[in-house]
Amino acid sequence: MTNQAIREEIGDSSLEVALGALRNSIARWTDKSDLLETAVSGLLLYQHDEPTQPRNAMYEPCICLVAQGAKRVLLGDDTYVYDAHHYLIASVHLPTMVQIVEASRSKPCMGVVLKLDQREISQLMVDSNLPQPRAQQSSRGMVLGEVTLPLLNAFQRLIDLLDEQKDIPILAPIIQREIIYRLLVGEQGERLRQIASAGSQSNQIARAIDWLKVNFSQSLSIDDLAAQARMSTSTFHHHFRSMTALSPLQYQKQLRLQEARRLMLAERMDAANAAFQVGYESPSQFSREYNRMFGAPPLRDITNLRQLAAGEGG
Amino acid sequence: MTNQAIREEIGDSSLEVALGALRNSIARWTDKSDLLETAVSGLLLYQHDEPTQPRNAMYEPCICLVAQGAKRVLLGDDTYVYDAHHYLIASVHLPTMVQIVEASRSKPCMGVVLKLDQREISQLMVDSNLPQPRAQQSSRGMVLGEVTLPLLNAFQRLIDLLDEQKDIPILAPIIQREIIYRLLVGEQGERLRQIASAGSQSNQIARAIDWLKVNFSQSLSIDDLAAQARMSTSTFHHHFRSMTALSPLQYQKQLRLQEARRLMLAERMDAANAAFQVGYESPSQFSREYNRMFGAPPLRDITNLRQLAAGEGG
DNA sequence: CAATACATCGTACGATTAGGCAATAAATTA
DNA sequence: TAATTTATTGCCTAATCGTACGATGTATTG
């Protein structure tokens, strides 16, 4: 056995130990098919005890780990599958399809999510004099990386804080900074640094995405948005798509339709009003696009969902 | 013979008489194959005693009449042929191919050109309370119309002024206003009014064209130009093309290459400098496009032209 | 200095939009 | 249950706009 192989062996076994500890911690705080917002702001824990169908979900800027099980994320034509040995970073808000592909009663999928704040990342880059990214080109806003022991340990310490709530205000930010630092210098650090470096194309696109996220119900002028990002219309398109796998309009449409669905489902709003609320000016157009996205026209889709929920509840 | 027919007969014969008078006047001031800028500013007279090949020419905003002979104007894929019974209005600067198709020693092509000033047109529209145009859609910046007797008479009086130079400062503007008025209320008045009504799409495009005409050697941002015209990039394209039969870039290219040709021919500038002067940043690109437009690379084209001129001169 | 790779930009094309109207489904009432 | 009203969805037209693609210009590499 070579030294290299020995190191890997040791590393791997340490990793497994750390993952085991993480599983225990997650299990202490969450129950089956449970999602918990913890006392550490931005830190979420969850477990789920069976595979799911793909479902629409919005990823926020965050880093996601699973201590057990596996998930599949669909972004445009790309597929990202991650498990206990791979983390996933989303550097912007991204509409995706998410599916738990590996989970069971005996071995539920157990996950940790830590939301990332771009300002923190930028601050850390300045503070630690990390080099500006080489390439100007913008790439996908989602990336997979290999889980390392120090990273796992940091997460472990973060979760351990939940037992010592008084330490959270002081220690949580420190540990979060450590995690971010480890990501920045890790294999996918370049990506994160691109997003965070002010004025870069990635950063400009990220700003545009933030704007859309807030103002999706307003009517959208791509030309203006491009001007804001100091790019030509077509260049803006190019970079937007390379980051989100969606055209700006498709992105806005996703936001609009998902919000409309939420309004009808949770706030019991009728189709026409929901359509209007999210920025559509004609109900017929809304109906057509809703149908295209969710597979059924508004009312029928909502009825389906209600029946499904009732069935699960009973 | 119906009254209608009689009126037409009378009208036609009067028209012929008027055209005869116009021919005499033009002949008094111009010689064979001669172009005269008259003492009336904006008024040009010319005659040409043989048909020509099509040649590149820039039309300014103007109205063109021929008292004898015929001309053909090529604008993009459109062809405009006009003779003694049809005038041609150009409402913006337009790069065209022009060809005299009917002319001979005994019956030379005899023409009158009066340049039009958009501000005068707008002023007249306000003063005379002419209605704003109905349609918003923009159309070709060139149009043919049927010559009428009053129009011919006005032109006759304008040319007659050349014999009474002291009256020009007072009478020329008045007669020009009459001509513009007749055009505005005539069959093609709608077109002219569109161009002149501030804020209309046609007017916005006309402004963009004016800008291009002056700043063709600067590098051009279509997005900015569109923003200036308060249109989206694509809408701007659409209207620009419907008015000029050219895309904005093609339009600019025409201006650049024609100016470069002039610089080389008249100012004896070398190719590389001419290229640079009109805004090209690489001589190779210039050469390629020059070749495409004039059928020969810069140096050879100029040599050809010089030989041609020498041949005609001798 | 040529050749090549790469990013950017212009623009033609096709998708999307508003707005109006017709058809249909659902709900309410006779 | 039938009739009437109301809410939703489907369809049309004309215009605008988004955007994929190909042309153009810039940087890089041998």
Side-chain angles (χ1 to χ4, degrees):
Chain A
M1 199 180 252
T2 66
N3 282 351
Q4 171 71 17
I6 292 170
R7 270 202 305 280
E8 281 176 7
E9 182 84 350
I10 294 169
D12 276 10
S13 61
S14 314
L15 212 64
E16 292 308 328
V17 172
L19 284 169
L22 203 57
R23 281 197 292 275
N24 288 336
S25 300
I26 295 172
R28 280 192 49 218
W29 294 99
T30 61
D31 212 345
K32 293 185 190 310
S33 301
D34 193 16
L35 173 67
L36 173 77
E37 284 203 51
T38 68
V40 174
S41 95
L43 180 70
L44 286 81
L45 304 177
Y46 66 85
Q47 55 175 307
H48 203 94
D49 64 359
E50 56 182 14
T52 65
Q53 288 301 305
R55 45 181 299 172
N56 293 88
M58 199 75 194
Y59 263 86
E60 301 182 57
C62 66
I63 169 169
C64 307
L65 269 65
V66 288
Q68 184 168 269
K71 291 180 85 171
R72 173 189 289 151
V73 181
L74 296 157
L75 173 61
D77 289 337
D78 296 2
T79 306
Y80 299 82
V81 181
Y82 64 107
D83 56 22
H85 294 99
H86 299 87
Y87 59 79
L88 177 141
I89 301 178
S91 43
V92 288
H93 287 89
L94 289 171
T96 60
M97 301 277 277
V98 182
Q99 179 180 23
I100 291 173
V101 286
E102 207 185 300
S104 64
R105 281 283 164 87
S106 58
K107 293 185 107 187
C109 180
M110 304 174 107
V112 194
V113 177
L114 178 65
K115 295 185 189 169
L116 298 175
D117 183 348
Q118 253 193 57
R119 283 163 305 183
E120 276 186 63
I121 300 176
S122 306
Q123 190 59 50
L124 194 57
M125 276 179 66
V126 175
D127 293 351
S128 55
N129 266 322
L130 278 168
Q132 292 288 319
R134 291 181 289 277
Q136 269 285 76
Q137 85 212 1
S138 52
S139 46
R140 279 285 129 88
M142 191 165 265
V143 70
L144 296 176
E146 196 122 341
V147 167
T148 61
L149 192 53
L151 189 67
L152 270 189
N153 288 339
F155 270 97
Q156 183 67 57
R157 274 176 280 133
L158 201 56
I159 298 172
D160 289 344
L161 281 184
L162 298 176
D163 285 318
E164 301 291 343
Q165 305 240 345
K166 67 178 194 311
D167 296 338
I168 290 177
I170 304 299
L171 293 184
I174 294 175
I175 301 174
Q176 286 185 30
R177 278 171 69 89
E178 176 185 339
I179 290 172
I180 292 171
Y181 177 79
R182 292 197 182 282
L183 295 178
L184 280 172
V185 299
E187 53 172 337
Q188 301 303 343
E190 181 94 6
R191 302 287 187 91
L192 268 189
R193 274 178 277 152
Q194 265 179 39
I195 287 282
S197 38
S200 74
Q201 278 131 329
S202 299
N203 185 296
Q204 301 283 18
I205 295 295
R207 284 160 187 265
I209 290 176
D210 287 347
W211 188 92
L212 276 175
K213 188 78 182 31
V214 176
N215 303 291
F216 62 84
S217 61
Q218 294 180 30
S219 80
L220 158 66
S221 158
I222 302 282
D223 283 4
D224 290 356
L225 217 53
Q228 281 287 330
R230 298 166 190 279
M231 295 180 202
S232 80
T233 315
S234 43
T235 304
F236 177 76
H237 260 99
H238 180 74
H239 288 295
F240 193 99
R241 177 172 272 271
S242 84
M243 178 157 278
T244 64
L246 264 51
S247 72
L249 195 70
Q250 286 172 327
Y251 188 96
Q252 187 205 40
K253 203 174 286 180
Q254 293 251 9
L255 294 178
R256 284 184 167 188
L257 292 174
Q258 299 217 31
E259 171 65 3
R261 194 188 211 186
R262 193 191 66 77
L263 287 171
M264 290 188 292
L265 199 58
E267 324 245 330
R268 309 192 95 76
M269 195 177 275
D270 66 64
N273 276 317
F276 177 74
Q277 181 90 357
V278 301
Y280 280 88
E281 311 199 27
S282 84
S284 56
Q285 190 63 19
F286 171 72
S287 173
R288 189 159 30 146
E289 311 214 318
Y290 192 100
N291 191 354
R292 200 180 296 159
M293 175 157 175
F294 295 116
L299 196 70
R300 196 171 325 147
D301 176 66
I302 297 301
T303 315
N304 287 347
L305 286 174
R306 291 238 165 82
Q307 284 179 349
L308 215 68
E312 279 181 6
Chain B
M1 196 179 253
T2 65
N3 282 351
Q4 171 70 17
I6 291 169
R7 270 203 304 279
E8 280 177 6
E9 182 84 351
I10 293 170
D12 274 9
S13 61
S14 315
L15 212 65
E16 293 308 329
V17 172
L19 284 170
L22 203 57
R23 280 197 294 275
N24 288 336
S25 300
I26 294 172
R28 279 194 50 219
W29 292 100
T30 61
D31 209 346
K32 294 185 190 308
S33 300
D34 195 16
L35 173 66
L36 174 76
E37 283 203 54
T38 69
V40 175
S41 96
L43 180 70
L44 286 80
L45 304 177
Y46 65 86
Q47 52 175 309
H48 203 92
D49 64 0
E50 55 180 16
T52 66
Q53 289 301 307
R55 43 181 301 173
N56 292 87
M58 198 76 194
Y59 263 86
E60 300 183 58
C62 66
I63 170 169
C64 308
L65 268 65
V66 286
Q68 185 169 268
K71 291 179 82 171
R72 173 190 288 153
V73 181
L74 296 156
L75 174 61
D77 290 337
D78 296 2
T79 307
Y80 300 82
V81 182
Y82 64 108
D83 56 21
H85 294 99
H86 300 87
Y87 59 79
L88 177 142
I89 300 178
S91 43
V92 287
H93 287 89
L94 289 172
T96 60
M97 302 277 277
V98 182
Q99 178 180 22
I100 292 174
V101 286
E102 208 186 298
S104 64
R105 281 281 162 89
S106 58
K107 294 184 106 186
C109 179
M110 304 174 106
V112 193
V113 177
L114 179 64
K115 295 185 189 170
L116 297 175
D117 183 350
Q118 253 192 59
R119 283 163 305 182
E120 275 187 61
I121 300 177
S122 306
Q123 191 58 51
L124 193 57
M125 278 179 64
V126 175
D127 292 352
S128 55
N129 266 323
L130 279 167
Q132 292 290 315
R134 292 182 288 277
Q136 269 285 78
Q137 86 213 0
S138 52
S139 46
R140 279 285 127 89
M142 190 165 266
V143 72
L144 295 175
E146 196 122 341
V147 166
T148 61
L149 191 53
L151 190 66
L152 270 190
N153 288 338
F155 269 96
Q156 183 68 57
R157 274 177 279 134
L158 201 57
I159 297 173
D160 288 345
L161 281 184
L162 298 177
D163 284 319
E164 302 289 343
Q165 304 240 348
K166 66 179 192 312
D167 295 339
I168 290 178
I170 305 300
L171 293 184
I174 294 175
I175 302 175
Q176 288 185 29
R177 276 171 72 88
E178 176 184 340
I179 290 172
I180 293 172
Y181 177 79
R182 293 199 182 280
L183 295 177
L184 280 172
V185 300
E187 54 173 338
Q188 300 304 344
E190 181 95 7
R191 301 287 187 90
L192 268 189
R193 275 178 276 153
Q194 265 179 40
I195 287 282
S197 38
S200 74
Q201 277 131 329
S202 299
N203 184 295
Q204 300 283 18
I205 296 294
R207 285 162 186 262
I209 290 175
D210 286 348
W211 189 92
L212 275 176
K213 188 76 180 38
V214 176
N215 304 290
F216 62 86
S217 60
Q218 293 180 32
S219 80
L220 158 65
S221 158
I222 301 283
D223 282 4
D224 290 356
L225 216 53
Q228 281 288 330
R230 297 167 192 280
M231 296 180 201
S232 80
T233 314
S234 42
T235 304
F236 177 76
H237 261 100
H238 181 74
H239 288 293
F240 192 100
R241 176 170 271 272
S242 83
M243 177 156 278
T244 64
L246 263 51
S247 71
L249 195 69
Q250 286 171 327
Y251 188 96
Q252 187 206 40
K253 205 174 284 181
Q254 294 251 10
L255 295 178
R256 285 182 167 191
L257 292 174
Q258 300 220 30
E259 172 65 3
R261 194 188 210 186
R262 193 193 65 77
L263 286 172
M264 290 186 292
L265 200 58
E267 323 244 332
R268 311 191 93 78
M269 195 177 274
D270 66 66
N273 276 317
F276 177 73
Q277 182 90 356
V278 301
Y280 279 87
E281 313 199 26
S282 80
S284 57
Q285 191 65 15
F286 170 72
S287 175
R288 194 157 97 223
E289 312 212 318
Y290 192 100
N291 191 356
R292 202 179 296 159
M293 176 157 174
F294 295 115
L299 197 70
R300 195 173 325 148
D301 176 65
I302 296 301
T303 315
N304 287 347
L305 286 173
R306 290 240 166 83
Q307 283 180 349
L308 215 69
E312 277 181 7

